[in-house]
Amino acid sequence: MEYIVLSVIIFCIGVAGILLRRNLIIILMSVELMLSASNISFVAFSKMHGNLDGQAVVLLLYVLAACEAAVGLAIIVGLFRLKGSVDIQLFRDLKK
Amino acid sequence: MNILIQSLPLLIMPAVAAFILLIGAMWRRISGESLLIMAVAGLVAALFFGWQGFLAGTASFPADIIFDKIFYLTVIIIAIALALAMLVSYNYLAERKLPWPEYLALLLFAGFGAGLMAAGTDFIVLFIGLETISIAAYVLAGYTRDGSSKEASIKYFLMGAFASAVLLFGIAFFYGATGSVLLSAAPINKLLMVLALALIISGAAFKVAAFPFQWWTPDVYEGSPLPVTAFFATAVKAAAFIMLFRIVAGISGGLGLKFESLLIALSVATMTFGNLAALFQENIKRMLAYSSIAHAGYMLIAFVVLGKDANLAGAALLFYILAYIVMSMGAFGVLIYLSGGEKEFCNMPDVAGLGRRSPWLAAVFGLFLLSLAGFPPTAGFVAKFYLFKSAMAHGYVLLVIAAVINSLISVYYYMRPVVAMYFGEFQQERSLPKIRYSVAGVLIFCAIFVIILGLAPATILAILSH
């Protein structure tokens, strides 16, 4: 049960990071925190139910998280080349 | 062996994608045309095997995947949408000298993801499919070199990754509540289940751009390159709806849980927001983005009916998706046809006077806009009629009235480009672009399809309701 609480706390830290921070790299890290929070709860529930489904799922999710991080970093590099900064406030040319 | 044949329509897309990537990397001088022909041939093969599988009937895979009629129909629809999206982008990419192999491979991988989303009976398969299509979409949004495309890409990425994480957290709680990730699993813990469903529905609503989670759509659709926007509005949207269909059908089957009123509220709010926001847009691309939100609202009506009659709802949803794909692909195709050189011409003044300058193009654009607005005798009318009739048959009168009022509001903004085309001032400074055969072919195909679906929908409806 403690682990579920931990995962909820980490998930909330991730959400707060996305909403409050302005640096794209930090926002990307916050997204990764949210994914890791789900991984923790998968493992915790796996122990609770006594089956291994949750742990197998975590292995798959690591691959997905890695893909997402790779694509995200590539996009951020592209943006850095464009403006010379990764501050999210600079990217608001499209109409709000 | 049999299973391999059954899954061929799904497997053929990543195989062709990998082949195109390899060829493109090893043989640098290969022309875009030959790669395009390869990719389209792969999609035609997927379509063919999908049709064969549809005729053969349901086959269940040992592990959490089902190849039923809905899966095969989805693969066919997605293959058509992807082939149109590839053909429509031919001139666009060629004129901007953008690389071909990655573009085609990403579209094909997205098709694979869409197929998985239609085949999963398990949250993890659905989620992997969703991530496959999303990651391809993030890259495609930033495919050109200009700033707005890159900005659309990062916005789509951040919002999409956030939604995926929320959905995944919901799946984790679903696993906690049931002890399994199967869609049909029965809950042990009710409280966890409610939390899980709230998170899952929010994440999925984000992906289909339903009301409180729709704000990323206009920016992403406006900033992305035109052919990619056409792909987002057709294939990605269709795949997201099929996934939502699987989730809602699976959950309500296993639980007997009803969230009808929630779906009705989502549907009405989504269509009203989309239509009101579209009213005063000067950029046609952005207007079509809001119109896609409104159409998502109409499609959500099928999910309300789902609890009462799954077969009818499935047929109505698939028909609506098919009609929406051809008409919105056509509308974006006209904009692509107009966008010559390095710039995109999507503002209202850019289409002014088109009726005199190139009457055929204006007539086709008018046809697609009328179809989007839902005038008879077009595909849009029949799709709406069938959807509203299915809701009416199960007594959702107020919902249908709200949808009809919304359709009437939408006529105003769909008619604005038509009025500009036929009564607007001709713009001298810009010459008409030279003929673009691949885009013209797509436009003719879409126009014929829109009229066929509008005049003789019986055959296709019979296929879709199997």
Side-chain angles (χ1 to χ4, degrees), chain B residues 330-394:
Chain B
F332 281 113
V334 173
L335 293 180
I336 295 170
Y337 197 100
L338 288 172
S339 299
E342 289 284 305
K343 269 194 77 181
E344 290 182 358
F345 295 102
C346 311
N347 288 320
M348 285 288 175
D350 291 325
V351 298
L354 198 68
R356 262 155 293 160
R357 218 164 33 148
S358 48
W360 281 105
L361 200 57
V364 179
F365 196 27
L367 174 71
F368 294 135
L369 290 173
L370 285 178
S371 179
L372 282 166
F375 276 91
T378 56
F381 171 74
V382 178
K384 266 186 194 155
F385 176 75
Y386 195 59
L387 193 60
F388 295 174
K389 202 185 79 179
S390 67
M392 206 69 173
H394 292 284

Side-chain angles (χ1 to χ4, degrees), chain B residues 31-187:
Chain B
S31 65
E33 289 89 340
S34 30
L35 289 173
L36 182 66
I37 289 168
M38 256 182 252
V40 174
L43 286 172
V44 170
L47 206 157
F48 172 75
F49 288 118
W51 179 245
Q52 292 297 322
F54 176 74
L55 295 179
T58 304
S60 70
F61 209 61
D64 308 336
I65 286 182
I66 184 169
F67 293 138
D68 59 356
K69 302 230 163 182
I70 290 185
F71 163 74
Y72 287 118
L73 288 170
T74 311
V75 167
I76 291 170
I77 291 175
I78 294 286
I80 293 174
L82 286 178
L84 292 176
M86 283 173 184
L87 290 172
V88 96
S89 43
Y90 172 67
N91 296 94
Y92 194 96
L93 262 72
E95 276 161 23
R96 286 164 182 73
K97 299 197 172 51
L98 294 168
W100 275 99
E102 292 87 347
Y103 184 81
L104 298 172
L106 282 169
L107 283 178
L108 286 166
F109 281 131
F112 175 67
L116 272 187
M117 282 157 85
T121 57
D122 162 321
F123 269 115
I124 296 308
V125 175
L126 290 180
F127 189 74
I128 291 174
L130 177 71
E131 283 295 283
T132 312
I133 197 169
S134 302
I135 288 175
Y138 305 147
V139 181
L140 284 169
Y143 207 71
T144 56
R145 294 180 192 91
D146 60 333
S148 65
S149 166
K150 290 278 186 286
E151 185 183 330
S153 176
I154 191 72
K155 278 188 174 160
Y156 198 13
F157 172 77
L158 289 179
M159 298 300 123
F162 182 76
S164 295
V166 170
L167 181 62
L168 188 61
F169 206 56
I171 296 172
F173 275 81
F174 184 88
Y175 174 66
T178 61
S180 155
V181 284
L182 284 176
L183 283 172
S184 51

Side-chain angles (χ1 to χ4, degrees), chain B residues 224-389:
Chain B
S224 306
L226 261 171
V228 175
T229 311
F231 160 71
F232 288 167
T234 56
V236 176
K237 187 142 257 191
F241 267 103
I242 296 296
M243 184 189 76
L244 189 62
F245 187 83
R246 284 285 192 212
I247 291 178
V248 174
I251 289 176
S252 43
L255 271 177
L257 230 172
K258 292 274 173 283
F259 27 95
E260 240 175 48
S261 41
L262 173 71
L263 286 169
I264 291 176
L266 264 185
S267 162
V268 173
T270 308
M271 63 177 101
T272 312
F273 174 85
N275 281 322
L276 291 182
L279 282 179
F280 303 108
Q281 297 301 326
E282 281 306 312
N283 186 323
I284 298 178
K285 212 173 164 188
R286 203 172 171 86
M287 185 202 91
L288 286 175
Y290 282 114
S291 123
S292 90
I293 296 175
H295 281 276
Y298 302 137
M299 286 187 231
L300 282 171
I301 293 176
F303 293 88
V304 179
V305 183
L306 185 61
K308 296 277 170 66
D309 185 347
N311 239 343
L312 183 65
L317 180 68
L318 284 174
F319 190 87
Y320 203 101
I321 287 176
L322 186 62
Y324 183 68
I325 282 178
V326 284
M327 58 205 189
S328 83
M329 185 62 83
F332 281 113
V334 173
L335 293 180
I336 295 170
Y337 197 100
L338 288 172
S339 299
E342 289 284 305
K343 269 194 77 181
E344 290 182 358
F345 295 102
C346 311
N347 288 320
M348 285 288 175
D350 291 325
V351 298
L354 198 68
R356 262 155 293 160
R357 218 164 33 148
S358 48
W360 281 105
L361 200 57
V364 179
F365 196 27
L367 174 71
F368 294 135
L369 290 173
L370 285 178
S371 179
L372 282 166
F375 276 91
T378 56
F381 171 74
V382 178
K384 266 186 194 155
F385 176 75
Y386 195 59
L387 193 60
F388 295 174
K389 202 185 79 179

Side-chain angles (χ1 to χ4, degrees), chain A residues 2-89:
Chain A
E2 292 80 10
Y3 287 104
I4 309 297
V5 176
L6 173 72
S7 83
V8 171
I9 291 171
I10 292 182
F11 188 82
C12 293
I13 293 173
V15 173
I18 290 174
L19 295 177
L20 301 176
R21 298 303 293 258
R22 288 169 46 185
N23 188 315
L24 281 174
I25 304 275
I26 307 265
I27 294 178
L28 185 66
M29 283 159 66
S30 307
V31 170
E32 294 299 313
L33 264 188
M34 287 169 74
L35 293 176
S36 303
S38 342
N39 282 346
I40 293 173
S41 49
F42 264 117
V43 175
F45 283 128
S46 172
K47 187 146 173 60
M48 212 167 95
H49 290 297
N51 63 20
L52 287 177
D53 285 13
Q55 302 192 25
V57 164
V58 168
L59 290 178
L60 292 172
L61 295 182
Y62 268 122
V63 179
L64 288 178
C67 295
E68 214 167 63
V71 168
L73 280 174
I75 296 171
I76 292 174
V77 169
L79 284 169
F80 184 76
R81 284 210 189 123
L82 209 67
K83 294 255 167 106
S85 161
V86 288
D87 190 333
I88 199 158
Q89 305 280 342

